Amino acid sequence: MSKSPTLNVSLYQVWDSFWDQKLTSFGQSEKVPDDVLLALHSIHGSVLERAVELFDKDCLTVFRTKGHSREVLQIIGSSGMIYTLFHKINFCQCQSYKFQVLLYKANVTCKHVLAAALSYATGKFKVMELSSEDLTKLLIDSFVGRNEMQTSGHP
């Protein structure tokens, strides 16, 4: 029985390069150019399709401190769960990221990270300004609070 194929590190490098060159080049038009969608589909396949569904729902909120020195993204997933992300950082707390990206290396990223990248690149997001203290609380609640819930048996 053959082992399922895994992604090569070079695909991650392609994604990083693509992110820097393409996702920041088309500005705040709220429309993703067809050539960018085609290139993204060649890297992400069905993950892109699910990401576009989230993108169409305007589910990204960017939390910024005054002066924009710190920034955190939150995206509402299709199940209603809120995921906290960082701009240009390929990491998500979702189960798909844990298994399909980290464990099995079957995908480069998850739909939440990809949808957030598209929303951020097109300017299609809500902005909330927070104090530095409130942003810190948001991060603690997002990461520490979620981990405590998961280890204590809560959803």
Side-chain angles (χ1 to χ4, degrees), residues 41-111:
H41 191 270
S42 70
I43 296 170
H44 299 287
S46 64
V47 175
L48 175 66
E49 295 165 20
R50 294 188 302 274
V52 168
E53 289 173 11
L54 289 178
F55 171 79
D56 287 341
K57 292 180 182 176
D58 296 328
C59 55
L60 182 68
T61 302
V62 176
F63 295 91
R64 292 180 175 153
T65 57
K66 293 171 178 57
H68 306 265
S69 60
R70 293 173 59 200
E71 191 173 77
V72 173
L73 316 177
Q74 284 194 333
I75 192 160
I76 301 170
S78 52
S79 68
M81 189 92 165
I82 297 173
Y83 298 98
T84 301
L85 310 168
F86 299 95
H87 181 53
K88 290 191 176 182
I89 302 292
N90 186 19
F91 178 78
C92 184
Q93 303 152 296
C94 73
Q95 293 297 307
S96 179
Y97 193 92
K98 180 180 178 180
F99 291 102
Q100 296 301 315
V101 178
L102 297 177
L103 186 62
Y104 300 120
K105 295 179 179 36
N107 295 319
V108 175
T109 195
C110 68
K111 66 181 179 182

Side-chain angles (χ1 to χ4, degrees), residues 85-149:
L85 310 168
F86 299 95
H87 181 53
K88 290 191 176 182
I89 302 292
N90 186 19
F91 178 78
C92 184
Q93 303 152 296
C94 73
Q95 293 297 307
S96 179
Y97 193 92
K98 180 180 178 180
F99 291 102
Q100 296 301 315
V101 178
L102 297 177
L103 186 62
Y104 300 120
K105 295 179 179 36
N107 295 319
V108 175
T109 195
C110 68
K111 66 181 179 182
H112 308 110
V113 171
L114 193 50
L118 293 171
S119 296
Y120 199 97
T122 58
K124 193 175 175 183
F125 54 85
K126 299 175 263 329
V127 176
M128 295 205 50
E129 203 166 282
L130 299 175
S131 68
S132 186
E133 294 80 17
D134 287 340
L135 190 68
T136 301
K137 287 177 191 173
L138 182 134
L139 287 170
I140 290 170
D141 290 345
S142 296
F143 292 100
V144 177
R146 178 171 283 180
N147 288 338
E148 288 173 358
M149 287 191 311

